[in-house]
Amino acid sequence: NTTRNYFKEFLSSKMRMQYIRVKLLRLDVVERFYTHLRQDLGLAHNTSIKHMQMLKKIVIRAQKNGWLRIDPFDGFSMRMQERRRSFLTPEELLAIESHTFVIPRMQAVRDLFLFSCYTGFAYIDVAHLTRANLDRTPDGLWWLRKPRQKTKLNSQVPVLKPAMDIIERYANLHRMSADSRLFQMISNQKLNAYLKELADVCGIEKNLTFHVARHTFATTVILQNGVSVEALSRMMGHRDIKTTQHYARIVDRKLADEMR
């Protein structure tokens, strides 16, 4: 739907038309649409390519039905740019954990961030966690089981002690109903603003956002401690293991740097 709206806007503002016949799609139209996404709408390259992929799906359908003989994407590169995922080192993670905050608001921000560092849950998933998502197996291990809001795939994460300590600090598990939320959340925008303040206090120079916690879980907490990429992919709720392998490449690079 978003791609369709962007393309309708492009046709109206750049092509001066309400619709375009499929057989009139050519490489120049594809390139101009990409330019519109990047320059006029200010979208990042990878985001723009995702919209181009949506348009490509329509083109493939048109080709299969015999409505379009020439591929308008022939000559257009659909390659994604590999993004550098920011994450905390063990030392930076320890600096946040060991710092004493006297302001309750900053204590809560720190705890929510650390919870994500030790579970890998994104902001929206933490916000929707309920008592029903937390269960304990006969061997005494606590688990968080929840479909990810983004992919709808099940994420299953064993709860490490630091994460469990945070849950017990904010939730009375014995008195909660199944649909009770584990945490009282503040908005993602405010949380990220407070994380900038937290980074300054703890001497961390990286641009700290809540999503950095998810990357920290994947790299510093999981892969650097020898857990397999396949297990991480299950915990992260990724649809494709190729997404998870980006983190493995980051860890490989760090190992290579340390060996040098």
Side-chain angles (χ1 to χ4, degrees):
N1 287 336
T2 304
T3 305
R4 180 185 61 184
N5 291 336
Y6 285 161
F7 193 70
K8 286 174 66 176
E9 180 186 339
F10 160 72
L11 288 178
S12 176
S13 63
K14 301 300 180 182
M15 305 284 288
R16 298 292 187 265
M17 54 178 67
Q18 295 303 309
Y19 65 90
I20 185 171
R21 293 185 180 276
V22 173
K23 65 181 181 181
L24 295 181
L25 280 175
R26 292 291 185 270
L27 177 60
D28 68 305
V29 177
V30 170
E31 291 176 336
R32 289 178 66 183
F33 180 48
Y34 171 78
T35 301
H36 174 69
L37 294 173
R38 293 284 281 128
Q39 296 183 0
D40 300 328
L41 300 183
L43 302 183
H45 170 76
N46 286 1
T47 304
S48 299
I49 290 298
K50 287 181 181 179
H51 289 297
M52 301 307 291
Q53 290 172 346
M54 292 293 176
L55 180 61
K56 175 82 172 178
K57 288 184 178 182
I58 306 300
V59 167
I60 292 172
R61 182 179 297 183
Q63 288 176 311
K64 287 181 177 178
N65 283 286
W67 305 331
L68 188 61
R69 294 185 178 181
I70 299 174
D71 182 3
F73 280 87
D74 187 17
F76 181 81
S77 175
M78 301 282 278
R79 179 170 295 180
M80 294 275 199
Q81 294 173 352
E82 185 169 350
R83 294 173 297 177
R84 294 197 64 180
R85 289 169 165 82
S86 181
F87 62 93
L88 297 182
T89 64
E91 295 75 21
E92 291 168 333
L93 188 58
L94 180 61
I96 293 176
E97 285 185 283
S98 58
H99 190 88
T100 302
F101 290 94
V102 295
I103 303 174
R105 165 177 56 83
M106 292 303 294
Q107 172 78 24
V109 168
R110 188 267 300 275
D111 287 346
L112 288 172
F113 181 79
L114 287 177
F115 180 79
S116 181
C117 285
Y118 284 107
T119 62
F121 280 96
Y123 172 87
I124 190 67
D125 296 310
V126 175
H128 286 86
L129 280 176
T130 66
R131 179 65 180 86
N133 298 130
L134 183 68
D135 67 0
R136 196 174 194 178
T137 51
D139 60 1
L141 185 63
W142 287 95
W143 287 79
L144 281 169
R145 310 179 196 272
K146 183 187 181 299
R148 283 203 66 205
Q149 293 289 124
K150 182 177 179 179
T151 63
K152 308 304 179 187
L153 297 179
N154 282 328
S155 178
Q156 302 184 60
V157 182
V159 185
L160 298 173
K161 187 178 185 304
M164 197 64 212
D165 289 343
I166 292 171
I167 290 174
E168 292 176 338
R169 193 174 302 148
Y170 292 91
N172 188 335
L173 299 179
H174 300 294
R175 295 185 178 181
M176 295 176 70
S177 61
D179 58 352
S180 296
R181 299 282 175 91
L182 293 183
F183 301 106
Q184 295 293 322
M185 300 293 287
I186 58 178
S187 72
N188 197 16
Q189 185 178 11
K190 284 187 176 180
L191 192 55
N192 284 328
Y194 293 146
L195 284 172
K196 304 291 186 292
E197 186 179 341
L198 183 145
D200 290 337
V201 171
C202 295
I204 295 172
E205 298 180 356
K206 293 173 181 173
N207 179 27
L208 210 57
T209 66
F210 198 81
H211 210 63
V212 170
R214 183 167 164 82
H215 299 324
T216 300
F217 171 76
T219 53
T220 303
V221 175
I222 298 300
L223 290 178
Q224 290 187 25
N225 282 297
V227 180
S228 70
V229 173
E230 291 78 11
L232 174 63
S233 185
R234 184 70 177 271
M235 287 188 278
M236 298 282 280
H238 285 159
R239 179 174 281 112
D240 190 339
I241 198 169
K242 290 180 181 178
T243 306
T244 322
Q245 286 170 341
H246 289 298
Y247 296 106
R249 284 199 286 272
I250 292 172
V251 173
D252 288 344
R253 198 154 54 234
K254 186 177 188 303
L255 290 174
D257 290 341
E258 290 181 356
M259 286 299 290
R260 291 193 192 96

